Amino acid sequence: MKKFVLLMVVLTLSLVMGISAVSAEKVIPDEINLGMISTISGAQAIDGQNMTDAIRLVQQELEANGGLDVDGKKVKINWIIEDCEAKPEIAVNAAQKLIEQDGVLAIVGPNNSGDTIASAEISQAAKIPQITNTGTNEAVTKVGDYVFRACIIDPFQGKVVAQFAYENLGLRKTAVIYDNADTYSAGLDKAFVDAFEALGGEIVANEAFSGADVKDFSAQLINIKNANPEAVFVPAHIDNIPLILQQIRGMGIEATLLGCDSWDYAAMPELVGLDVIEGAYYVTGFSPDAETAADFVKAFTDLAGYRPSFCSAMAYEAAHIVLNAIQNAETIDGTGIRDAMVKTSLDLPSGHVTFDEFRNPIKSGIILQVRDGVAQYVGSVSPAE
Amino acid sequence: MNWLRKNSEVIILPLIYVVIFLLQKNKILNNYVIQIIMLAGVNIIMTQSLNLVNGMTGQNSIGHAGFMAVGAYVSALFSKIIFNAAAMPPTMQTIFFLLATIAGGIGAAIFGFLIGMPTLRLKGDYLAIVTLGFGEVIRSIIRITPAVGAARGLTGIPKLASLFWIFVFVVITIYICRNYMDSAYGRGCLAIRDNEVAADTMGINTSKYKVQAFVTSAFIAGIAGSMYAHTLRYLHPDVFSYTKSTDFLVYLYAGGVGSISGSILGAFILTALPEVLRFMNEWRLVIYGGLLVIIILFRPVGMFGGKEFAFLKLKTGGIQHIGFSNLFQRKTKKTIVANEEASR
């Protein structure tokens, strides 16, 4: 009986001490495991390669530094990379494995929205922050308050284009042609119209067509021509863009062409026709030509042997957002890192990054202009709140 | 006591669940392992369903993920959109989960009937092409239907499936398939598989038997879809692509086509294997594929081909000859026989 009482006392004491040790101050471990999930095999293996190389670069930087500097202590960071085969159920397995077996404190990726939504349910339940690099589906960060994203989303792009058109190009009268059967297109139209009118500009024509099967846009374009806009914003998908742009010029509309990240294909100028698209502006999330990205692009190219894609740049940024949060966290655990991630204010290759209340990034949109058949970097635009 | 010895499965099956449950409670098996077991359970149900068509009836369904998609979406619609089961007390949740699962099964069975009815009247491989097409059609329809999330996928499905329910449905499925195989219907199906012309001559209504087996199979696939939806809580049309159907075919043929035990083991081992191989990083799927090649080379009938677990008490043998390797050879032989019949 005595032994039992003694045992109980010791157990209670150690429990109390254990609790007080946690709550007293920031405990900095010697090593931290972080996870990355991506499509290393399957149809999008190229993205997996891009993300793995981005993490290799982060790891190289950390090693050059002797580890991550947390309040003066060098912490060793171990990155554990798991494959999700671009299948949601495998992504769930990967997240479970990272959290349960490797004890990771944060997860970067996966690159697809579907895989992210499925796996984020796991990290949300385990209170481990997860940040997707290129999952653009709005539902991703609605899974819960531990889910972040590193890339800009559609409504944000609309704002960027509106601001650029109004302030940098000095345009006052614009028109829009969009697909009202497509959430991406309709969402961008609404965001652009709202932002442009809020700035004081006038939308002289807001014309909708319905569905990707439409091939003749003359009814909409006649209205636009009669309204005589200074610019036409075309938030459409890659399969419609060439036809719309060709028909705009075919109608004799000489307005400036504005686009969004669906325009961001290297082959776009050839598809559309060099004379048609010459001088058009569009927004995207990352450009290797931006001055803020110069160091990253050089380091990445040296390490991987090819220039970074949007996917690898966003993986690199997501990793840095997590590392920065670990440095600023009040406690080194999932909740502490999550709270620090919300307060992120960091300079990254695509510009300065903070998060809005839905854990979507607020950062600059990159404006590109097609000159001599090649999309060239013009500048970065950060819309005012 | 004697009865217990004869029916040891009454003890063994609950015992398997209790052991897994206790290991989970005591943190020996973490959520990761439990998650794999649950997914393996879903895959076992799907492979059983496929075995009814491909193994027992000798027809070729190569778009079975389509039925799974129907089951998954119908049940998710039922539990999420129509009844909002997430806001219910636990007992009601269980009831609605079971109702949703049955609704998913019935939805898939209706499609199974609509597809099977015209195609299974024909002899030959028409079913393969029709099921393949069906899988793609379902996927495209889901992709353009806003009510089920269209191309963005359906999120926020309540998490109603648990290890317990998946286990229960696996056991029920195994017994449905076992009893089916052992019944007059099942024997009819086996006869059709072994020689359709001979079965016809013996007075078996071949198209009726084939449609029955196919609809049952679709129903079970719908059940599996519901389990999948309520485990993962997220559905996307592209998940149920042709690749998914191929996965189940691989589980079935590597496990042992025609064997209930084979489909259990094939689905379980091949679901767990890629996870076990995670330590090999990018070599993971290379080794996985390599192992599949080795299995088929050294055991063309599959790991458990022609054999059954003792507790199933199945004596239906004679399935060695429909292994993967001589699948086509068998077809030719059958055609020759049929031609001979015709020429007489």
Side-chain angles (χ1 to χ4, degrees), chain A residues 30 57 124 155 165 212 234 260-261 378:
Chain A
D30 296 330
L57 176 60
Q124 176 69 27
V234 188
C260 44
D261 68 353
V378 175

Side-chain angles (χ1 to χ4, degrees), chain A residues 54-384:
Chain A
I55 296 298
R56 272 175 59 211
L57 176 60
V58 174
Q59 187 68 359
Q60 196 184 47
E61 291 170 2
L62 285 169
E63 275 164 17
N65 228 341
L68 182 70
D69 194 343
V70 185
D71 295 350
K73 181 177 173 181
K74 298 281 184 193
V75 179
K76 186 165 181 276
I77 303 286
N78 304 314
W79 286 97
I80 298 148
I81 299 174
E82 291 298 346
D83 182 15
C84 69
E85 304 171 29
K87 295 177 186 165
E89 70 266 30
I90 306 292
V92 166
N93 285 347
Q96 288 277 23
K97 190 235 167 205
L98 286 170
I99 293 170
E100 298 278 340
Q101 295 203 333
D102 303 316
V104 298
L105 291 184
I107 296 175
V108 172
N111 35 331
N112 288 338
S113 294
D115 301 344
T116 311
I117 292 170
S119 57
E121 300 272 3
I122 304 299
S123 33
Q124 176 69 27
K127 294 195 184 307
I128 295 294
Q130 178 168 0
I131 175 164
T132 173
N133 52 337
T134 51
T136 49
N137 188 331
E138 245 180 300
V140 165
T141 51
K142 287 182 180 157
V143 172
D145 56 354
Y146 280 75
V147 190
F148 295 73
R149 108 174 78 216
C151 60
I152 54 174
I153 55 169
D154 309 344
F156 187 81
Q157 283 186 44
K159 268 192 194 171
V160 171
V161 180
Q163 170 128 349
F164 177 75
Y166 189 86
E167 288 183 352
N168 299 58
L169 298 180
L171 305 175
R172 294 294 176 267
K173 284 164 66 185
T174 59
V176 189
I177 176 166
Y178 71 101
D179 178 359
N180 64 6
D182 179 69
T183 35
Y184 171 84
S185 190
L188 272 169
D189 168 65
K190 187 176 179 310
F192 174 81
V193 169
D194 289 352
F196 197 71
E197 285 178 343
L199 287 165
E202 188 193 352
I203 304 289
V204 290
N206 190 8
E207 295 294 321
F209 59 94
S210 195
D213 299 335
V214 181
K215 299 288 173 242
D216 178 14
F217 306 93
S218 40
Q220 290 85 354
L221 292 178
I222 285 172
N223 288 345
I224 289 177
K225 186 177 161 73
N226 292 340
N228 195 22
E230 293 168 298
V232 185
F233 179 44
V234 188
H237 277 296
I238 180 77
D239 33 355
N240 291 85
I241 295 168
L243 285 172
I244 299 178
L245 298 192
Q246 284 158 9
Q247 290 179 23
I248 286 178
R249 289 296 187 242
M251 283 263 175
I253 302 171
E254 292 303 325
T256 312
L257 299 173
L258 301 171
C260 44
D261 68 353
S262 59
W263 290 36
D264 196 12
Y265 286 87
M268 188 59 128
E270 283 171 30
L271 268 175
V272 179
L274 296 181
D275 51 329
V276 171
I277 202 171
E278 185 69 17
Y281 294 94
Y282 63 85
V283 65
T284 178
F286 171 76
S287 161
D289 299 322
E291 60 263 37
T292 44
D295 290 345
F296 162 68
V297 173
K298 187 178 179 306
F300 188 95
T301 315
D302 286 348
L303 179 79
Y306 59 94
R307 270 158 69 93
S309 68
F310 180 60
C311 183
S312 44
M314 290 304 116
Y316 177 85
E317 295 194 352
H320 271 282
I321 289 167
V322 169
L323 293 176
N324 176 60
I326 292 175
Q327 288 173 318
N328 295 332
E330 283 175 17
T331 51
I332 307 269
D333 56 15
T335 312
I337 295 172
R338 183 245 157 215
D339 292 344
M341 275 171 83
V342 174
K343 294 180 202 136
T344 299
S345 175
L346 195 61
D347 284 314
L348 290 169
S350 67
H352 190 79
V353 177
T354 55
F355 282 102
D356 68 8
E357 73 260 47
F358 301 112
R359 297 161 305 285
N360 293 315
I362 302 169
K363 58 181 174 186
S364 336
I366 308 286
I367 304 288
L368 302 178
Q369 186 182 25
V370 181
R371 283 184 220 134
D372 305 326
V374 182
Q376 294 183 10
Y377 175 72
V378 175
S380 305
V381 174
S382 321

Side-chain angles (χ1 to χ4, degrees), chain A residues 26-74:
Chain A
K26 185 171 177 177
V27 180
I28 303 168
D30 296 330
E31 289 190 21
I32 291 177
N33 287 349
L34 296 176
M36 200 267 280
I37 307 176
S38 75
T39 53
I40 291 167
S41 62
Q44 298 156 359
I46 178 82
D47 284 346
Q49 179 70 45
N50 278 317
M51 289 171 73
T52 308
D53 285 331
I55 296 298
R56 272 175 59 211
L57 176 60
V58 174
Q59 187 68 359
Q60 196 184 47
E61 291 170 2
L62 285 169
E63 275 164 17
N65 228 341
L68 182 70
D69 194 343
V70 185
D71 295 350
K73 181 177 173 181
K74 298 281 184 193

Side-chain angles (χ1 to χ4, degrees), chain B residues 94-145:
Chain B
T94 310
I95 293 169
F96 274 91
F97 169 53
L98 296 179
L99 287 177
T101 303
I102 291 167
I106 291 174
I110 291 172
F111 279 99
F113 182 75
L114 291 178
I115 287 174
M117 200 59 192
T119 16
L120 287 169
R121 289 175 176 276
L122 305 166
K123 294 183 175 67
D125 283 336
Y126 302 101
L127 187 68
I129 292 150
V130 172
T131 47
L132 181 63
F134 166 71
E136 295 304 308
V137 166
I138 279 296
R139 209 150 61 89
S140 311
I141 291 176
I142 295 168
R143 230 191 258 146
I144 54 167
T145 312

